[in-house]
Amino acid sequence: MPLDRRAFIRGSALTLGGALSLRRLPRAGAAQPTIWDRRSLQRLRIWDLHGHLTGVGGTAAERIRWILRYARRLGIERVVFFMGLRFRRNPAPREFRRDNDDLMRALEAAGEHALGFVYLNPNYPEESLQELDRCVRNGPLVGVKLWVAARATAAGVLAIVRRAAELRVPVYQHTWYKTTGNLPGESTPEDAARLAAACPGAKIIAGHTGGQWELGIRAIRRRGNLWAGLGGSDPTAGMVEMAVRELGAARVLYGSDCPGRSFASQLAKVLGAEIAPVEKRLILGANLRRLLTAALAAKGIPVQP
Ligand SMILES: [Zn+2]
């Protein structure tokens, strides 16, 4: 389709970095800012589902402070972190305990700007359940992260997810449809859907919306206890629109996968989507706050919805 004149002028202004002149151009039917400064972003009350302590140097405390400095620049109110100072695909119990200790040390340094999920390995079900109790029931963490050690359909996962449901915390399950083939323990969105069906009381987030989001959204849409986590894939036009259309805005969660991905590129998925302002607010923060309400209340952390 040929570009109309106004779109062309606006595009050129962007290319030239003419942010100020862009503001003065007429915008047909636009009810939302074209330029999001920190203040307008702060008003959205953004909570980021997905952050890591890798990719930057220093102690756990130094790393989280450094990352949160950038989050604040983008007006992000809170970031949920998981895993330790390095990525371990199939950690032994002493390794995931150390990772969770590093995470909790970082959270202490971050104060109210960060939250954390416990990292577990379903190949060690007993030790994982003990760790879940140590860090979530008796500790400060408010959710569970499962990565690529075992698929969501593997033995050992269900007990963890059931326990998470009892503790009323969500489970973030990494999912991807890789063109080159998944890792042996890497879940697809379909695996997450099976897990969600097997444990209807659990609240499960299908990470990365499956990477290939057109397939991922279809795979999870029938399960009301599955959410799409938007973080950590390239910002592609149409992704958020399709997720909202097929799942409803209430089941879509913004996350960045920082610092491996930039806050700006991941926020842009939502801010640039052709959806209603109220839907953006849900996706950027309100949905995650609702998912975490019980966990935060149990820990005496007051939160405005
Ligand atoms: Zn990640």
Side-chain angles (χ1 to χ4, degrees), residues 277-299:
V278 65
E279 293 170 327
K280 290 184 185 176
R281 294 182 75 94
L282 287 174
I283 295 167
L284 289 168
N287 289 340
L288 182 55
R289 283 189 286 281
R290 187 180 295 172
L291 265 182
L292 297 177
T293 301
L296 295 172
K299 300 191 190 309

Side-chain angles (χ1 to χ4, degrees), residues 50 52 82 145 208 257:
H50 189 163
H52 296 291
F82 27 76
K145 158 76 183 219
H208 312 292
D257 211 353

Side-chain angles (χ1 to χ4, degrees), residues 74-253:
L74 276 287
I76 296 168
E77 198 174 288
R78 244 176 206 179
V79 182
V80 175
F81 288 87
F82 27 76
M83 303 168 69
L85 303 185
R86 68 174 68 172
F87 287 159
R88 299 179 218 271
R89 287 182 177 172
N90 189 22
R94 69 181 158 76
E95 290 176 316
F96 62 68
R97 281 182 210 125
R98 192 191 312 153
D99 288 344
N100 292 322
D101 282 340
D102 283 333
L103 171 67
M104 290 191 281
R105 220 167 283 136
L107 294 179
E108 259 180 50
E112 61 182 12
H113 301 293
L115 295 164
F117 287 5
V118 66
Y119 181 38
L120 303 175
N121 183 346
N123 294 326
Y124 301 94
E126 261 320 299
E127 293 88 342
S128 286
L129 290 174
Q130 285 164 12
E131 184 70 349
L132 181 49
D133 277 350
R134 178 177 85 96
C135 299
V136 173
R137 193 187 67 186
N138 306 325
L141 305 187
V142 294
V144 173
K145 158 76 183 219
L146 299 174
W147 193 30
V148 295
R151 288 175 70 163
T153 48
V157 177
L158 199 54
I160 292 172
V161 171
R162 285 199 174 126
R163 183 79 185 116
E166 281 168 22
L167 295 172
R168 300 172 73 200
V169 296
V171 176
Y172 180 101
Q173 169 67 66
H174 165 98
T175 65
W176 211 286
Y177 283 124
K178 286 211 175 108
T179 311
T180 49
N182 281 19
L183 297 164
E186 189 168 26
S187 302
T188 64
E190 234 172 317
D191 295 334
R194 282 202 196 108
L195 180 64
C199 192
K203 294 177 173 173
I204 300 167
I205 300 153
H208 312 292
T209 320
Q212 293 193 46
W213 46 269
E214 297 96 327
L215 302 176
I217 292 166
R218 285 188 183 96
I220 67 170
R221 73 180 154 192
R222 282 185 56 231
R223 297 285 158 212
N225 59 330
L226 262 180
W227 278 252
L230 296 173
S233 61
D234 289 331
T236 316
M239 177 189 192
V240 173
E241 288 88 338
M242 179 176 171
V244 168
R245 188 183 74 224
E246 299 297 326
L247 309 174
R251 284 174 59 200
V252 184
L253 300 166

